[in-house]
Amino acid sequence: FKIVNCSSQVNIEVESVRYGTGGICGTSYGGHIDGCENMGNIVGKGPNCGITGQLLVDTKILNCVNYGNIEGTNWATGIGRDGNTEAVIKGCKNYGKITGTGDCAGIGLAMIIANCINEGEIVGNRRYDSWTGGIALSINDKDKIIDCVNKGAVTGGEHCGGIVGKIYEDFVGTYSNNINAGTVNGVAGSEINAIGKD
């Protein structure tokens, strides 16, 4: 299926959703979402995301923008979250404030995240095992983060980075040409704090 050039201005309050709530789409099984924008706030329990709550199979999210403030108990993101599949997020932007009592990121989680920008404030949990990233929650295996920019203030626990919260030991993918221009836990952005500690 395709969702193209759609816009949402609806505020959503979530009681509890297992797989995710999104401003444009809840869960996508191989969908193509292009040129959409969310301006509504999404708050409550669950993995809440500005565009799509969960990306399955080979879902592609392209050229989408989130302006809404997103709050979630886990995996709160500005754009969307991959369910361990081959999802792609390209050319997307987040301007909203993302707050997670668990893991959270400005853009999200996908096998490929490219040409994305975060300008929103990212506020993650301060506990040791949570991931907070200006762009991505984490990357492992053959994932790719390419040509992304974070300009937002990012705060969180030990796994907190201006670009990505955590890179796993099995990572053999691509991390290249990313710029961390926001602050990380109050410290000016740099290559050093672009990636959270292992």
Side-chain angles (χ1 to χ4, degrees):
F1 70 90
K2 290 185 178 181
I3 302 176
V4 181
N5 297 332
C6 291
S7 176
S8 172
Q9 299 182 33
V10 178
N11 294 325
I12 301 173
E13 186 171 346
V14 183
E15 285 296 324
S16 181
V17 176
R18 180 179 177 185
Y19 295 108
T21 299
I24 300 296
C25 176
T27 297
S28 171
Y29 292 87
H32 183 107
I33 301 167
D34 194 346
C36 296
E37 62 180 20
N38 172 60
M39 290 177 278
N41 301 322
I42 304 174
V43 301
K45 299 177 181 178
N48 302 326
C49 304
I51 300 297
T52 303
Q54 188 174 35
L55 291 58
L56 298 176
V57 193
D58 59 350
T59 292
K60 292 178 176 61
I61 301 182
L62 310 174
N63 310 309
C64 292
V65 182
N66 174 63
Y67 295 98
N69 296 324
I70 311 298
E71 297 179 12
T73 51
N74 57 342
W75 298 314
T77 71
I79 301 299
R81 173 185 67 93
D82 188 346
N84 295 320
T85 59
E86 297 184 358
V88 174
I89 300 174
K90 286 186 177 181
C92 295
K93 297 179 181 179
N94 174 64
Y95 296 100
K97 180 179 180 179
I98 312 299
T99 306
T101 56
D103 311 321
C104 63
I107 299 299
L109 184 67
M111 185 174 180
I112 298 173
I113 299 179
N115 302 107
C116 292
I117 298 172
N118 172 64
E119 295 195 19
E121 180 182 3
I122 313 301
V123 182
N125 195 302
R126 288 282 187 169
R127 70 174 194 250
Y128 171 77
D129 59 344
S130 66
W131 312 326
T132 306
I135 298 295
L137 294 163
S138 64
I139 51 175
N140 62 6
D141 196 30
K142 298 179 181 179
D143 292 347
K144 298 178 181 180
I145 298 181
I146 303 169
D147 298 325
C148 293
V149 178
N150 172 59
K151 298 180 180 180
V154 182
T155 58
E158 188 164 6
H159 302 300
C160 176
I163 299 296
V164 58
K166 180 175 181 177
I167 293 183
Y168 282 86
E169 292 180 359
D170 65 348
F171 176 66
V172 292
T174 304
Y175 177 93
S176 69
N177 202 31
N178 301 299
I179 300 172
N180 177 29
T183 61
V184 179
N185 289 328
V187 178
S190 66
E191 288 188 20
I192 294 173
N193 60 16
I195 299 170
K197 295 181 180 178
D198 289 332

